[in-house]
Amino acid sequence: AQTVTQSQPEMSVQEAETVTLSCTYDTSESDYYLFWYKQPPSRQMILVIRQEAYKQQNATENRFSVNFQKAAKSFSLKISDSQLGDAAMYFCAYRSAGGSQGNLIFGKGTKLSVKP
Amino acid sequence: EAQVTQNPRYLITVTGKKLTVTCSQNMNHEYMSWYRQDPGLGLRQIYYSMNVEVTDKGDVPEGYKVSRKEKRNFPLILESPSPNQTSLYFCASSFSRGSWFFGPGTRLTVL
């Protein structure tokens, strides 16, 4: 079974600085998808970024980028020029591309605080 | 606007009183799923559906029922709610191999 681990329960960053959130996963599959979701105090789950395992190029979305290391099974999220609105819980998630793709497997989350 | 909607957003009920939380998506997604989120336990899947009339259990299906009679709707049924089902519930939908999109959540309290 696949697992997702986020080893940093809490992180803090100064406004305008850069922060990196860590995520590792375990799988025996070669084709899968990885995601970062943001959950602000409103509790809405918001998709931040998506990475296809077959793509070597790291995904980017504006100030958000990932460092995808397939061999190391690592998928970190870098937030550049941090803003107060980035304060939230961030969840790393895994989706199989095969028969078990009905499930999105989440890590336990990292709570990010942004200091003004 | 493409979205996943859930109703109600907040619900307080009593043990044993049957309830249904509705979920609807307007993106023609094949996949739909229900999750519950609890402090310290994260998000856990209850049930999912791959298409109309096709459903399967997730990690924590006990005490819940689902049905998928139409592609856009995927209601979650608690036939006899108990206090341990107090939680924040999310519905989500996606295309095959796509990104999952989540509803706004339903906060359920069972007294």
Side-chain angles (χ1 to χ4, degrees), chain B residues 82-96:
Chain B
S82 62
N84 65 11
Q85 293 178 299
T86 292
S87 187
L88 177 60
Y89 290 86
F90 287 101
C91 181
S93 71
S94 82
F95 288 119
S96 175

Side-chain angles (χ1 to χ4, degrees), chain B residues 13-89:
Chain B
T13 189
V14 295
T15 299
K17 186 176 181 181
K18 181 179 178 180
L19 67 92
T20 299
V21 184
T22 64
C23 174
S24 184
Q25 50 94 6
N26 62 1
M27 296 169 278
N28 202 35
H29 286 163
E30 305 101 319
Y31 282 82
M32 296 187 76
S33 183
W34 278 102
Y35 291 85
R36 61 177 290 175
Q37 185 178 22
D38 302 289
L41 298 176
L43 288 114
R44 296 177 293 168
Q45 190 183 50
I46 303 170
Y47 271 96
Y48 69 94
S49 170
M50 292 175 285
N51 217 319
V52 175
E53 303 291 3
V54 183
T55 63
D56 205 352
K57 296 177 181 178
D59 300 316
V60 288
E62 295 79 17
Y64 304 94
K65 284 178 58 177
V66 293
S67 67
R68 187 98 180 267
K69 294 186 173 63
E70 304 166 285
K71 196 171 187 179
R72 62 182 292 127
N73 297 323
F74 190 46
L76 179 70
I77 303 157
L78 285 72
E79 299 230 328
S80 184
S82 62
N84 65 11
Q85 293 178 299
T86 292
S87 187
L88 177 60
Y89 290 86

Side-chain angles (χ1 to χ4, degrees), chain A residues 4-11 20-24 36 90 92 107-111:
Chain A
V4 176
T5 302
Q6 293 179 249
S7 58
Q8 306 153 316
E10 295 188 27
M11 293 280 286
T20 298
L21 308 184
S22 300
C23 173
T24 58
W36 280 96
Y90 286 83
C92 179
K108 291 290 175 64
T110 296
K111 184 176 182 180

